[in-house]
Amino acid sequence: KQEVTQIPAALSVPEGENLVLNCSFTDSAIYNLQWFRQDPGKGLTSLLLIQSSQREQTSGRLNASLDKSSGRSTLYIAASQPGDSATYLCAVKRNTGTASKLTFGTGTRLQVTL
Amino acid sequence: DAGVTQSPTHLIKTRGQQVTLRCSPKSGHDTVSWYQQALGQGPQFIFQYYEEEERQRGNFPDRFSGHQFPNYSSELNVNALLLGDSALYLCASSLTGTNVLTFGAGSRLTVL
């Protein structure tokens, strides 16, 4: 059974700092890994998707890496801003095609202070 | 372009009652998945519908059932509600064969 763990559970940083969020998974037989953002009481917004054959993906100030063999992914946020405050979730997909469910971690709650 | 629409946004039920949640997928999408997110937890996969059939199911009891209509919209039904069913229920749609899921804002269910 796939288990996804995210560390830390919560993080508070001052504005402008660079930060790293961690995600680990127990079964390396994944098809892809996604990072999502969730604002309080809201749905999920996809940030980055990394295919199992890729090592990293970048979008603006966000960079996600994937080390499938070790079962780890990181989300790097550069020059953090108060608007980055949210919960960040990683999710892995085992099989190809949309018939396969996503398995989520419990998230890292990020607060960026002024 | 409308994204995924869920209704109602909030509702309160009592134990033993039944509830129906609704989801309209993003335009052009034909597959709908439902997730349950308890407070402080990550979403848990309930089931997925494609071509009006349940294609995959997570570890949820038979009290949880669903339906997909010819226009691709979907319903999630929960019978005999328990306090532990209190959660945010998220609907996600996709186009079969693609990897991109679009999530709705969710329906927050409180069971008293």
Side-chain angles (χ1 to χ4, degrees):
Chain A
K1 177 187 173 185
Q2 178 74 270
E3 292 184 3
V4 180
T5 304
Q6 292 187 245
I7 295 173
L11 180 64
S12 181
V13 300
E15 181 180 13
E17 270 204 10
N18 303 324
L19 59 103
V20 174
L21 308 180
N22 297 291
C23 172
S24 61
F25 45 95
T26 55
D27 185 349
S28 62
I30 65 168
Y31 182 69
N32 63 40
L33 182 145
Q34 279 186 267
W35 283 92
F36 291 87
R37 168 185 173 136
Q38 185 173 33
D39 292 288
K42 305 293 186 182
L44 309 181
T45 300
S46 180
L47 299 173
L48 290 165
L49 183 150
I50 311 177
Q51 299 291 353
S52 61
S53 58
Q54 297 175 320
R55 296 285 292 181
E56 66 179 305
Q57 281 286 340
T58 298
S59 176
R61 295 183 293 108
L62 305 180
N63 176 276
S65 68
L66 174 64
D67 184 343
K68 198 174 74 164
S69 61
S70 68
R72 294 180 182 179
S73 176
T74 62
L75 178 66
Y76 175 82
I77 302 177
S80 58
Q81 303 171 357
D84 294 330
S85 298
T87 296
Y88 291 81
L89 295 152
C90 70
V92 297
K93 182 175 180 179
R94 178 173 175 81
N95 298 317
T96 183
T98 53
S100 180
K101 68 180 183 180
L102 294 182
T103 301
F104 284 85
T106 54
T108 294
R109 189 170 64 255
L110 172 66
Q111 182 174 12
V112 181
T113 59
L114 292 171
Chain B
D1 178 24
V4 177
T5 304
Q6 292 189 243
S7 64
T9 55
H10 296 83
L11 70 166
I12 300 173
K13 294 284 188 179
T14 58
R15 282 180 297 174
Q17 285 189 313
Q18 179 263 344
V19 67
T20 298
L21 308 178
R22 296 174 177 82
C23 173
S24 293
K26 182 177 179 178
S27 177
H29 287 184
D30 57 8
T31 302
V32 173
S33 302
W34 286 91
Y35 287 81
Q36 180 197 64
Q37 186 178 24
L39 196 62
Q41 302 296 313
Q44 299 287 319
F45 176 79
I46 303 175
F47 42 53
Q48 184 180 77
Y49 277 84
Y50 171 68
E51 291 189 338
E52 302 180 48
E53 292 189 356
E54 183 182 292
R55 192 159 63 170
Q56 192 174 12
R57 188 179 184 92
N59 189 25
F60 278 80
D62 291 345
R63 298 186 298 108
F64 290 76
S65 63
H67 189 76
Q68 186 179 35
F69 299 93
N71 66 353
Y72 307 119
S73 66
S74 177
E75 289 182 349
L76 165 65
N77 300 293
V78 187
N79 295 322
L81 285 168
L82 304 174
L83 296 179
D85 295 332
S86 295
L88 181 67
Y89 288 84
L90 295 164
C91 172
S93 72
S94 58
L95 177 61
T96 191
T98 68
N99 294 317
V100 180
L101 282 179
T102 301
F103 280 83
S107 294
R108 181 161 298 282
L109 170 65
T110 301
V111 182
L112 301 177

mmCIF file of all heavy atoms in Angstrom, chain A residues 71-111:
data_model
loop_
_atom_site.group_PDB
_atom_site.id
_atom_site.type_symbol
_atom_site.label_atom_id
_atom_site.label_comp_id
_atom_site.label_asym_id
_atom_site.label_seq_id
_atom_site.Cartn_x
_atom_site.Cartn_y
_atom_site.Cartn_z
ATOM 1 N N GLY A 71 12.351 7.451 -3.390
ATOM 2 C CA GLY A 71 11.000 7.762 -2.935
ATOM 3 C C GLY A 71 10.862 9.144 -2.345
ATOM 4 O O GLY A 71 10.189 9.314 -1.319
ATOM 5 N N ARG A 72 11.489 10.145 -3.001
ATOM 6 C CA ARG A 72 11.461 11.490 -2.444
ATOM 7 C C ARG A 72 11.199 12.537 -3.514
ATOM 8 O O ARG A 72 11.629 12.400 -4.653
ATOM 9 C CB ARG A 72 12.772 11.807 -1.740
ATOM 10 C CG ARG A 72 13.049 10.972 -0.514
ATOM 11 C CD ARG A 72 14.365 11.348 0.141
ATOM 12 N NE ARG A 72 14.648 10.507 1.293
ATOM 13 C CZ ARG A 72 15.737 10.601 2.035
ATOM 14 N NH1 ARG A 72 16.655 11.514 1.745
ATOM 15 N NH2 ARG A 72 15.908 9.798 3.061
ATOM 16 N N SER A 73 10.518 13.592 -3.067
ATOM 17 C CA SER A 73 10.332 14.770 -3.903
ATOM 18 C C SER A 73 10.454 16.002 -3.020
ATOM 19 O O SER A 73 10.131 15.956 -1.833
ATOM 20 C CB SER A 73 8.962 14.753 -4.580
ATOM 21 O OG SER A 73 8.736 15.947 -5.312
ATOM 22 N N THR A 74 10.937 17.078 -3.602
ATOM 23 C CA THR A 74 10.989 18.349 -2.882
ATOM 24 C C THR A 74 10.338 19.432 -3.714
ATOM 25 O O THR A 74 10.373 19.393 -4.953
ATOM 26 C CB THR A 74 12.427 18.773 -2.561
ATOM 27 O OG1 THR A 74 13.148 18.961 -3.778
ATOM 28 C CG2 THR A 74 13.133 17.746 -1.697
ATOM 29 N N LEU A 75 9.727 20.377 -3.039
ATOM 30 C CA LEU A 75 9.196 21.575 -3.673
ATOM 31 C C LEU A 75 9.966 22.754 -3.103
ATOM 32 O O LEU A 75 9.928 23.008 -1.896
ATOM 33 C CB LEU A 75 7.700 21.732 -3.397
ATOM 34 C CG LEU A 75 7.065 23.003 -3.990
ATOM 35 C CD1 LEU A 75 7.083 22.946 -5.525
ATOM 36 C CD2 LEU A 75 5.633 23.190 -3.491
ATOM 37 N N TYR A 76 10.670 23.444 -3.984
ATOM 38 C CA TYR A 76 11.474 24.598 -3.609
ATOM 39 C C TYR A 76 10.709 25.853 -4.001
ATOM 40 O O TYR A 76 10.269 25.986 -5.148
ATOM 41 C CB TYR A 76 12.823 24.534 -4.331
ATOM 42 C CG TYR A 76 13.714 25.727 -4.141
ATOM 43 C CD1 TYR A 76 14.502 25.857 -3.008
ATOM 44 C CD2 TYR A 76 13.792 26.724 -5.118
ATOM 45 C CE1 TYR A 76 15.347 26.945 -2.844
ATOM 46 C CE2 TYR A 76 14.625 27.816 -4.964
ATOM 47 C CZ TYR A 76 15.407 27.922 -3.823
ATOM 48 O OH TYR A 76 16.234 29.008 -3.668
ATOM 49 N N ILE A 77 10.541 26.751 -3.033
ATOM 50 C CA ILE A 77 9.885 28.034 -3.292
ATOM 51 C C ILE A 77 10.908 29.136 -3.066
ATOM 52 O O ILE A 77 11.449 29.270 -1.955
ATOM 53 C CB ILE A 77 8.658 28.256 -2.384
ATOM 54 C CG1 ILE A 77 7.647 27.122 -2.573
ATOM 55 C CG2 ILE A 77 8.008 29.608 -2.688
ATOM 56 C CD1 ILE A 77 6.439 27.214 -1.660
ATOM 57 N N ALA A 78 11.177 29.897 -4.094
ATOM 58 C CA ALA A 78 12.164 30.972 -4.002
ATOM 59 C C ALA A 78 11.483 32.282 -3.617
ATOM 60 O O ALA A 78 10.344 32.548 -4.008
ATOM 61 C CB ALA A 78 12.875 31.136 -5.336
ATOM 62 N N ALA A 79 12.205 33.085 -2.843
ATOM 63 C CA ALA A 79 11.752 34.445 -2.503
ATOM 64 C C ALA A 79 10.290 34.441 -2.072
ATOM 65 O O ALA A 79 9.432 35.055 -2.719
ATOM 66 C CB ALA A 79 11.976 35.372 -3.690
ATOM 67 N N SER A 80 9.998 33.750 -0.997
ATOM 68 C CA SER A 80 8.608 33.555 -0.561
ATOM 69 C C SER A 80 7.889 34.882 -0.324
ATOM 70 O O SER A 80 8.490 35.898 0.063
ATOM 71 C CB SER A 80 8.570 32.700 0.705
ATOM 72 O OG SER A 80 9.315 33.311 1.738
ATOM 73 N N GLN A 81 6.579 34.846 -0.560
ATOM 74 C CA GLN A 81 5.717 36.019 -0.402
ATOM 75 C C GLN A 81 4.536 35.658 0.487
ATOM 76 O O GLN A 81 4.144 34.491 0.551
ATOM 77 C CB GLN A 81 5.196 36.467 -1.774
ATOM 78 C CG GLN A 81 6.274 36.786 -2.783
ATOM 79 C CD GLN A 81 5.730 37.003 -4.173
ATOM 80 O OE1 GLN A 81 4.519 36.857 -4.409
ATOM 81 N NE2 GLN A 81 6.599 37.351 -5.106
ATOM 82 N N PRO A 82 3.914 36.644 1.153
ATOM 83 C CA PRO A 82 2.734 36.326 1.986
ATOM 84 C C PRO A 82 1.641 35.593 1.221
ATOM 85 O O PRO A 82 0.931 34.764 1.790
ATOM 86 C CB PRO A 82 2.283 37.714 2.455
ATOM 87 C CG PRO A 82 3.538 38.521 2.482
ATOM 88 C CD PRO A 82 4.350 38.036 1.307
ATOM 89 N N GLY A 83 1.503 35.879 -0.065
ATOM 90 C CA GLY A 83 0.517 35.194 -0.894
ATOM 91 C C GLY A 83 0.800 33.730 -1.112
ATOM 92 O O GLY A 83 -0.071 32.990 -1.596
ATOM 93 N N ASP A 84 1.997 33.273 -0.735
ATOM 94 C CA ASP A 84 2.318 31.852 -0.830
ATOM 95 C C ASP A 84 1.756 31.067 0.356
ATOM 96 O O ASP A 84 1.803 29.833 0.370
ATOM 97 C CB ASP A 84 3.840 31.643 -0.871
ATOM 98 C CG ASP A 84 4.472 32.220 -2.129
ATOM 99 O OD1 ASP A 84 3.799 32.266 -3.177
ATOM 100 O OD2 ASP A 84 5.645 32.646 -2.054
ATOM 101 N N SER A 85 1.225 31.754 1.343
ATOM 102 C CA SER A 85 0.682 31.093 2.525
ATOM 103 C C SER A 85 -0.491 30.214 2.128
ATOM 104 O O SER A 85 -1.469 30.683 1.551
ATOM 105 C CB SER A 85 0.231 32.127 3.565
ATOM 106 O OG SER A 85 1.324 32.906 4.001
ATOM 107 N N ALA A 86 -0.381 28.939 2.413
ATOM 108 C CA ALA A 86 -1.379 27.935 2.021
ATOM 109 C C ALA A 86 -0.887 26.584 2.512
ATOM 110 O O ALA A 86 0.198 26.481 3.082
ATOM 111 C CB ALA A 86 -1.564 27.899 0.504
ATOM 112 N N THR A 87 -1.687 25.550 2.268
ATOM 113 C CA THR A 87 -1.240 24.177 2.506
ATOM 114 C C THR A 87 -0.795 23.571 1.185
ATOM 115 O O THR A 87 -1.489 23.705 0.168
ATOM 116 C CB THR A 87 -2.363 23.332 3.134
ATOM 117 O OG1 THR A 87 -2.681 23.863 4.422
ATOM 118 C CG2 THR A 87 -1.929 21.884 3.280
ATOM 119 N N TYR A 88 0.350 22.938 1.210
ATOM 120 C CA TYR A 88 0.918 22.327 0.012
ATOM 121 C C TYR A 88 0.856 20.812 0.154
ATOM 122 O O TYR A 88 1.313 20.242 1.147
ATOM 123 C CB TYR A 88 2.357 22.796 -0.205
ATOM 124 C CG TYR A 88 2.404 24.265 -0.585
ATOM 125 C CD1 TYR A 88 2.309 25.254 0.394
ATOM 126 C CD2 TYR A 88 2.495 24.656 -1.918
ATOM 127 C CE1 TYR A 88 2.309 26.596 0.045
ATOM 128 C CE2 TYR A 88 2.499 26.000 -2.270
ATOM 129 C CZ TYR A 88 2.398 26.961 -1.274
ATOM 130 O OH TYR A 88 2.390 28.292 -1.628
ATOM 131 N N LEU A 89 0.261 20.177 -0.839
ATOM 132 C CA LEU A 89 0.051 18.724 -0.826
ATOM 133 C C LEU A 89 0.791 18.094 -1.989
ATOM 134 O O LEU A 89 0.779 18.633 -3.098
ATOM 135 C CB LEU A 89 -1.439 18.405 -0.960
ATOM 136 C CG LEU A 89 -2.346 18.857 0.183
ATOM 137 C CD1 LEU A 89 -3.739 19.123 -0.310
ATOM 138 C CD2 LEU A 89 -2.370 17.798 1.267
ATOM 139 N N CYS A 90 1.418 16.965 -1.726
ATOM 140 C CA CYS A 90 1.960 16.184 -2.831
ATOM 141 C C CYS A 90 1.105 14.931 -2.996
ATOM 142 O O CYS A 90 0.485 14.453 -2.038
ATOM 143 C CB CYS A 90 3.425 15.824 -2.616
ATOM 144 S SG CYS A 90 3.738 14.632 -1.320
ATOM 145 N N ALA A 91 1.045 14.446 -4.217
ATOM 146 C CA ALA A 91 0.230 13.277 -4.524
ATOM 147 C C ALA A 91 0.927 12.451 -5.582
ATOM 148 O O ALA A 91 1.508 12.988 -6.528
ATOM 149 C CB ALA A 91 -1.157 13.693 -5.015
ATOM 150 N N VAL A 92 0.865 11.120 -5.437
ATOM 151 C CA VAL A 92 1.477 10.231 -6.412
ATOM 152 C C VAL A 92 0.396 9.425 -7.121
ATOM 153 O O VAL A 92 -0.653 9.110 -6.552
ATOM 154 C CB VAL A 92 2.511 9.281 -5.772
ATOM 155 C CG1 VAL A 92 3.656 10.079 -5.185
ATOM 156 C CG2 VAL A 92 1.878 8.397 -4.726
ATOM 157 N N LYS A 93 0.687 9.102 -8.355
ATOM 158 C CA LYS A 93 -0.205 8.301 -9.187
ATOM 159 C C LYS A 93 0.542 7.059 -9.603
ATOM 160 O O LYS A 93 1.666 7.148 -10.098
ATOM 161 C CB LYS A 93 -0.633 9.113 -10.398
ATOM 162 C CG LYS A 93 -1.605 8.432 -11.331
ATOM 163 C CD LYS A 93 -2.020 9.410 -12.416
ATOM 164 C CE LYS A 93 -2.988 8.759 -13.379
ATOM 165 N NZ LYS A 93 -3.406 9.715 -14.425
ATOM 166 N N ARG A 94 -0.090 5.916 -9.428
ATOM 167 C CA ARG A 94 0.625 4.675 -9.649
ATOM 168 C C ARG A 94 0.652 4.258 -11.114
ATOM 169 O O ARG A 94 1.671 3.861 -11.653
ATOM 170 C CB ARG A 94 0.004 3.552 -8.815
ATOM 171 C CG ARG A 94 0.679 2.204 -9.025
ATOM 172 C CD ARG A 94 0.163 1.161 -8.069
ATOM 173 N NE ARG A 94 0.729 -0.156 -8.356
ATOM 174 C CZ ARG A 94 1.944 -0.541 -7.950
ATOM 175 N NH1 ARG A 94 2.705 0.269 -7.255
ATOM 176 N NH2 ARG A 94 2.387 -1.735 -8.252
ATOM 177 N N ASN A 95 -0.507 4.310 -11.739
ATOM 178 C CA ASN A 95 -0.604 3.735 -13.079
ATOM 179 C C ASN A 95 -0.884 4.783 -14.128
ATOM 180 O O ASN A 95 -1.344 5.870 -13.841
ATOM 181 C CB ASN A 95 -1.718 2.680 -13.117
ATOM 182 C CG ASN A 95 -1.446 1.538 -12.191
ATOM 183 O OD1 ASN A 95 -0.327 1.054 -12.119
ATOM 184 N ND2 ASN A 95 -2.452 1.128 -11.461
ATOM 185 N N THR A 96 -0.672 4.428 -15.351
ATOM 186 C CA THR A 96 -0.980 5.325 -16.445
ATOM 187 C C THR A 96 -2.486 5.425 -16.631
ATOM 188 O O THR A 96 -3.228 4.553 -16.193
ATOM 189 C CB THR A 96 -0.335 4.820 -17.746
ATOM 190 O OG1 THR A 96 -0.583 5.764 -18.795
ATOM 191 C CG2 THR A 96 -0.952 3.485 -18.162
ATOM 192 N N GLY A 97 -2.917 6.503 -17.257
ATOM 193 C CA GLY A 97 -4.340 6.659 -17.522
ATOM 194 C C GLY A 97 -5.088 7.212 -16.334
ATOM 195 O O GLY A 97 -4.637 7.164 -15.208
ATOM 196 N N THR A 98 -6.235 7.736 -16.578
ATOM 197 C CA THR A 98 -6.988 8.393 -15.523
ATOM 198 C C THR A 98 -7.718 7.403 -14.632
ATOM 199 O O THR A 98 -8.395 7.784 -13.708
ATOM 200 C CB THR A 98 -8.001 9.374 -16.117
ATOM 201 O OG1 THR A 98 -8.798 8.676 -17.075
ATOM 202 C CG2 THR A 98 -7.300 10.530 -16.786
ATOM 203 N N ALA A 99 -7.599 6.123 -14.895
ATOM 204 C CA ALA A 99 -8.267 5.143 -14.043
ATOM 205 C C ALA A 99 -7.548 4.946 -12.735
ATOM 206 O O ALA A 99 -8.024 4.216 -11.876
ATOM 207 C CB ALA A 99 -8.388 3.806 -14.768
ATOM 208 N N SER A 100 -6.409 5.591 -12.581
ATOM 209 C CA SER A 100 -5.631 5.380 -11.378
ATOM 210 C C SER A 100 -5.798 6.531 -10.405
ATOM 211 O O SER A 100 -5.668 7.689 -10.768
ATOM 212 C CB SER A 100 -4.159 5.230 -11.728
ATOM 213 O OG SER A 100 -3.390 5.018 -10.575
ATOM 214 N N LYS A 101 -6.048 6.204 -9.140
ATOM 215 C CA LYS A 101 -6.277 7.215 -8.126
ATOM 216 C C LYS A 101 -4.982 7.903 -7.749
ATOM 217 O O LYS A 101 -3.890 7.384 -7.935
ATOM 218 C CB LYS A 101 -6.884 6.559 -6.893
ATOM 219 C CG LYS A 101 -5.920 5.624 -6.182
ATOM 220 C CD LYS A 101 -6.551 4.996 -4.957
ATOM 221 C CE LYS A 101 -5.546 4.130 -4.219
ATOM 222 N NZ LYS A 101 -6.115 3.502 -3.013
ATOM 223 N N LEU A 102 -5.126 9.098 -7.170
ATOM 224 C CA LEU A 102 -4.002 9.812 -6.565
ATOM 225 C C LEU A 102 -3.960 9.466 -5.079
ATOM 226 O O LEU A 102 -5.004 9.379 -4.427
ATOM 227 C CB LEU A 102 -4.178 11.320 -6.712
ATOM 228 C CG LEU A 102 -4.134 11.912 -8.118
ATOM 229 C CD1 LEU A 102 -4.282 13.423 -8.054
ATOM 230 C CD2 LEU A 102 -2.854 11.534 -8.825
ATOM 231 N N THR A 103 -2.756 9.268 -4.569
ATOM 232 C CA THR A 103 -2.552 9.081 -3.140
ATOM 233 C C THR A 103 -1.859 10.326 -2.605
ATOM 234 O O THR A 103 -0.756 10.656 -3.055
ATOM 235 C CB THR A 103 -1.710 7.833 -2.852
ATOM 236 O OG1 THR A 103 -2.375 6.689 -3.400
ATOM 237 C CG2 THR A 103 -1.545 7.637 -1.353
ATOM 238 N N PHE A 104 -2.497 10.984 -1.665
ATOM 239 C CA PHE A 104 -2.016 12.267 -1.153
ATOM 240 C C PHE A 104 -1.280 12.120 0.166
ATOM 241 O O PHE A 104 -1.555 11.217 0.963
ATOM 242 C CB PHE A 104 -3.198 13.213 -0.913
ATOM 243 C CG PHE A 104 -3.783 13.821 -2.145
ATOM 244 C CD1 PHE A 104 -4.737 13.142 -2.886
ATOM 245 C CD2 PHE A 104 -3.399 15.089 -2.553
ATOM 246 C CE1 PHE A 104 -5.292 13.713 -4.025
ATOM 247 C CE2 PHE A 104 -3.947 15.669 -3.681
ATOM 248 C CZ PHE A 104 -4.897 14.974 -4.419
ATOM 249 N N GLY A 105 -0.370 13.059 0.404
ATOM 250 C CA GLY A 105 0.186 13.233 1.730
ATOM 251 C C GLY A 105 -0.759 14.101 2.556
ATOM 252 O O GLY A 105 -1.802 14.559 2.068
ATOM 253 N N THR A 106 -0.380 14.330 3.808
ATOM 254 C CA THR A 106 -1.236 15.116 4.698
ATOM 255 C C THR A 106 -0.969 16.607 4.588
ATOM 256 O O THR A 106 -1.693 17.403 5.179
ATOM 257 C CB THR A 106 -1.065 14.683 6.158
ATOM 258 O OG1 THR A 106 0.321 14.757 6.488
ATOM 259 C CG2 THR A 106 -1.570 13.265 6.370
ATOM 260 N N GLY A 107 0.054 16.994 3.840
ATOM 261 C CA GLY A 107 0.266 18.403 3.560
ATOM 262 C C GLY A 107 1.224 19.102 4.496
ATOM 263 O O GLY A 107 1.493 18.648 5.621
ATOM 264 N N THR A 108 1.777 20.207 4.016
ATOM 265 C CA THR A 108 2.582 21.124 4.822
ATOM 266 C C THR A 108 1.882 22.469 4.804
ATOM 267 O O THR A 108 1.637 23.036 3.732
ATOM 268 C CB THR A 108 4.007 21.276 4.266
ATOM 269 O OG1 THR A 108 4.700 20.039 4.383
ATOM 270 C CG2 THR A 108 4.764 22.363 5.019
ATOM 271 N N ARG A 109 1.557 22.959 6.007
ATOM 272 C CA ARG A 109 0.885 24.261 6.112
ATOM 273 C C ARG A 109 1.944 25.338 6.212
ATOM 274 O O ARG A 109 2.710 25.387 7.191
ATOM 275 C CB ARG A 109 -0.031 24.269 7.329
ATOM 276 C CG ARG A 109 -0.936 25.495 7.408
ATOM 277 C CD ARG A 109 -1.999 25.343 8.486
ATOM 278 N NE ARG A 109 -1.431 25.255 9.807
ATOM 279 C CZ ARG A 109 -1.335 24.146 10.523
ATOM 280 N NH1 ARG A 109 -1.762 22.999 10.036
ATOM 281 N NH2 ARG A 109 -0.799 24.150 11.731
ATOM 282 N N LEU A 110 1.999 26.199 5.204
ATOM 283 C CA LEU A 110 3.030 27.238 5.120
ATOM 284 C C LEU A 110 2.444 28.596 5.452
ATOM 285 O O LEU A 110 1.394 28.982 4.936
ATOM 286 C CB LEU A 110 3.627 27.274 3.708
ATOM 287 C CG LEU A 110 4.572 28.434 3.401
ATOM 288 C CD1 LEU A 110 5.833 28.322 4.252
ATOM 289 C CD2 LEU A 110 4.914 28.478 1.923
ATOM 290 N N GLN A 111 3.143 29.316 6.314
ATOM 291 C CA GLN A 111 2.782 30.702 6.592
ATOM 292 C C GLN A 111 3.992 31.571 6.313
ATOM 293 O O GLN A 111 5.079 31.333 6.860
ATOM 294 C CB GLN A 111 2.335 30.887 8.042
ATOM 295 C CG GLN A 111 1.896 32.312 8.354
ATOM 296 C CD GLN A 111 1.321 32.468 9.756
ATOM 297 O OE1 GLN A 111 1.436 31.567 10.578
ATOM 298 N NE2 GLN A 111 0.708 33.601 10.023
#
